[in-house]
Amino acid sequence: MPVSLGLGLPQMKQYDIGRDVAAVARAAEETGYESLWVFERIIFPEPATQGLYGVPGLPWPEQYRSVADPLITLALAAGATDRARLGTSVLVAPLHVPFQLARSLASLDVASGGRVVAGLGTGWSLDEYAAASVAPFEKRGAVLDELLDVCAAVWGPDPVSYRGELTTIAPSVVGPKPVRPIPVYLPANSPRATRRLVDRADGWMPVAMGAAQLAEQWKRVQDLAAERGRERPVGVCARANARYTAEPAAGAGRNPFHGSVAQIVEDLVAHAETGVPEILLDLQGTTRDASELIDVAGEVYEAARAAGI
């Protein structure tokens, strides 16, 4: 089966959000992309307490100086499209009040006709936690667990009732309800996170850092699912953070998804062979504007389909 291909929407500083989100979303759907995705960054600390992803000394990309709100971006895309699923990869759960986020996702699902996919994670930036979190960094896993509980309650039948550490919902009518159960995707960056994924989520959201590594991680998730008696399949959407260059990138040690259209497609083919059913390609970081993003995304899609994925 061909792999489903998704595209990251333009949120970074080089884009005109009011104009470009709708244009890119519409063009991507017309091209054939089956899903559209957003990510979350809320501040650009100077100096940063940590390097990017918590890696000491790794600088934050300049494009992170301005990243549009993910749910507003998806709302703009929802109004410009009819079919593409609308996903978050990912929302940082502890930066949101659980009840309010559950309601926002439900409203977006209704507004889009039932197309939302909720990718949730715990994040890594201590500076973002200091600015906006609902609990200390050390409690990030517990916050994600409570958010999952609150979403299940709010999206379920009325009356809704819940009591947790952060959230108390008196028996209430809470609407609107999602059009269908919103799929929840989670990362699996630790044994505990993998158990949470297998036990509580619809799918997995890995970062595609190499085909061999992805295949190994995917097998580990599948093995744990079998071990824990999970009966329904685990969905997967692998995030490919691409760095596009007009000229081919040199060197045998080139990072995956760094290079020309042909090189990006070569990496898509390799990652598709792992058996994951969906790959999200985020090109927005290195395209100059919406016009180039639309053109490159179109070239990649056509070349990938021609290559059999």
Side-chain angles (χ1 to χ4, degrees):
M1 271 183 79
V3 172
S4 293
L5 292 177
L7 184 69
L9 290 167
Q11 294 172 262
M12 294 178 176
K13 60 180 290 188
Q14 68 267 43
Y15 300 103
D16 181 327
I17 302 304
R19 179 192 65 207
D20 293 346
V21 171
V24 171
R26 191 178 300 112
E29 185 177 76
E30 290 173 355
T31 296
Y33 283 97
E34 296 170 80
S35 55
L36 302 167
W37 297 84
V38 292
F39 76 108
E40 184 162 48
R41 289 271 71 84
I42 63 168
I43 59 175
F44 188 93
E46 291 186 309
T49 301
Q50 303 163 285
L52 185 67
Y53 311 131
V55 178
L58 187 62
W60 290 43
E62 280 296 306
Q63 294 93 335
Y64 282 9
R65 287 185 179 275
S66 177
V67 177
D69 179 271
L71 294 184
I72 290 175
T73 303
L74 280 188
L76 292 169
T81 56
D82 298 311
R83 302 179 306 280
R85 285 171 291 114
L86 306 168
T88 62
S89 177
V90 296
L91 295 178
V92 181
L95 305 184
H96 299 269
V97 175
F99 180 77
Q100 292 178 346
L101 180 58
R103 289 201 68 244
S104 294
L105 289 167
S107 295
L108 181 60
D109 192 65
V110 172
S112 65
R115 294 188 279 145
V116 170
V117 179
L120 306 170
T122 55
W124 49 266
S125 170
L126 298 178
D127 293 302
E128 289 186 333
Y129 268 73
S133 68
V134 297
F137 187 76
E138 293 73 21
K139 292 189 174 183
R140 60 196 181 278
V143 175
L144 177 54
D145 285 330
E146 180 157 327
L147 174 59
L148 295 174
D149 291 340
V150 170
C151 286
V154 168
W155 299 342
D158 294 322
V160 173
S161 180
Y162 180 81
R163 182 176 295 274
E165 185 175 345
L166 299 169
T167 312
T168 299
I169 309 172
S172 306
V173 174
V174 182
K177 301 295 185 185
V179 173
R180 87 294 189 231
I182 295 176
V184 173
Y185 280 45
L186 299 174
N189 299 325
S190 69
R192 181 177 178 181
T194 307
R195 289 192 298 273
R196 181 190 291 117
L197 158 69
V198 166
D199 293 345
R200 307 201 59 184
D202 299 285
W204 172 45
M205 298 212 78
V207 177
M209 301 289 289
Q213 182 184 43
L214 181 61
E216 180 182 340
Q217 293 172 327
W218 180 214
K219 184 178 186 306
R220 193 157 54 238
V221 169
Q222 291 174 303
D223 288 347
L224 184 63
E227 177 185 316
R228 296 179 76 83
R230 179 175 171 130
E231 296 182 354
R232 59 196 175 108
V234 179
V236 186
C237 182
R239 165 177 272 276
N241 294 316
R243 294 183 62 84
Y244 163 73
T245 58
E247 298 298 325
R254 176 182 62 87
N255 290 328
F257 301 104
H258 289 201
S260 64
V261 166
Q263 290 173 320
I264 291 171
V265 170
E266 177 184 324
D267 294 329
L268 280 172
V269 170
H271 285 73
E273 289 174 352
T274 66
V276 300
E278 184 166 18
I279 299 174
L280 148 63
L281 185 65
D282 199 334
L283 290 157
Q284 65 171 309
T286 48
T287 48
R288 294 167 295 183
D289 53 28
S291 178
E292 185 175 47
L293 175 55
I294 289 169
D295 289 345
V296 174
E299 290 179 37
V300 170
Y301 185 89
E302 295 302 328
R305 292 310 188 207
I309 67 169

